[in-house]
Amino acid sequence: MDIEPDEDGLVRLQKLLARSGVASRRRCEELMLAGEVTVDGEVVTRLGTKVDPRTAAVHVSGKRLPPLSEHVYLVLHKPTGVVSTMSDPQGRRTLSDLVADRPERLFHVGRLDTDTSGLLLLTNDGDFAQRMAHPSYEVEKTYVAEVEGQVYPNVKKRLLAGVELEDGPVEVRRAKIKQGAPGRSIVELVIHEGRNRIVRRLLEEVGHPVLQLARTRFGPLHLGGLKPGESRELSADELGQLLDAAG
């Protein structure tokens, strides 16, 4: 951070907004005076107001401004066959192998099964990683599965009504069913949980074992054009949306 804070670690709000790329200093002042800027849920119109740039929840015209930090936040497209750890005593391919060019010590947010592909978050912000993975924040996750058999509407109704597994019920927030190859179907599920092999166990419970599984979205984040094994840094907008999605 190249903003010089005062002895209390605070900076002027309009200076923080300008540094974060919102607009020019003058335009940021106009946005404040127009009531377009909130800090921790309160509208701030007084020019010269100081905030903590590391912790303040700042919104401009309804959009979350991510806090300034030296942390990095990556979206990774994990291929199948890669274990969701940063090291493995058995010598299997790990997440570290996919980001070997990064100098930071990275943590993964949650896990994907070795035989599941898709979106994973990596960061060197340990507190953020724990927060995003904690079930109490209920960040929605979207999965696309190819399953055995034709999935009929009554199965979709059962999924949306909630399915009881041996370790408790599973809430499915949204579900879409498409016809796949002969004898197969494509199921898209949106859930907020991250229990071990939860999607595979859920679909097997309703009679449709998973053949292939991928996670395509994590909150507002999506894979886009990322190919398996590729990663990219989150944009400021994406990070702000993700923080909002986690409350």
Side-chain angles (χ1 to χ4, degrees), residues 72-74 86 95-96 99 102-108 122-125:
V72 298
Y73 306 90
L74 306 177
M86 303 311 291
L95 302 176
S96 292
V99 290
R102 301 291 311 196
E104 305 89 359
R105 179 172 179 262
L106 296 170
F107 306 92
H108 49 90
L122 298 177
T123 179
N124 61 346
D125 185 343

Side-chain angles (χ1 to χ4, degrees), residues 174-237:
R174 293 184 294 282
K176 293 181 181 178
I177 312 297
K178 297 179 181 179
Q179 186 62 45
R184 300 181 180 186
S185 300
I186 305 298
V187 181
E188 180 180 281
L189 298 177
V190 178
I191 62 175
H192 66 82
E193 300 189 50
R195 279 182 276 165
N196 186 42
R197 299 181 72 82
I198 187 73
V199 175
R200 292 178 184 275
R201 292 190 290 127
L202 170 65
L203 290 170
E204 185 163 6
E205 179 66 24
V206 298
H208 296 279
V210 171
L211 300 170
Q212 294 186 69
L213 181 62
R215 181 159 72 191
T216 57
R217 297 185 73 97
F218 185 97
L221 307 179
H222 56 88
L223 286 174
L226 275 185
K227 298 177 181 178
E230 292 183 342
S231 62
R232 64 170 177 81
E233 293 195 23
L234 271 64
S235 68
D237 277 351

Side-chain angles (χ1 to χ4, degrees), residues 116-149:
T116 297
S117 64
L119 195 157
L120 264 180
L121 279 174
L122 298 177
T123 179
N124 61 346
D125 185 343
D127 291 339
F128 172 87
Q130 289 186 348
R131 180 179 180 185
M132 288 297 117
H134 199 281
S136 65
Y137 289 101
E138 299 193 351
V139 178
E140 290 188 344
K141 305 167 185 69
T142 303
Y143 295 85
V144 175
E146 182 183 35
V147 301
E148 293 182 4

Side-chain angles (χ1 to χ4, degrees), residues 8 16 20-21 31 41 45 92 100-101 103 161 164 171 200 213 232:
D8 296 321
L16 173 63
S20 300
L31 289 169
T45 57
R92 293 173 295 181
D101 59 332
E164 187 76 30
E171 176 191 355
R200 292 178 184 275
L213 181 62
R232 64 170 177 81

Side-chain angles (χ1 to χ4, degrees), residues 57-72:
V58 180
H59 287 76
V60 181
S61 301
K63 295 180 66 175
R64 175 73 172 261
L65 191 74
L68 294 179
S69 77
E70 301 303 320
H71 292 128
V72 298

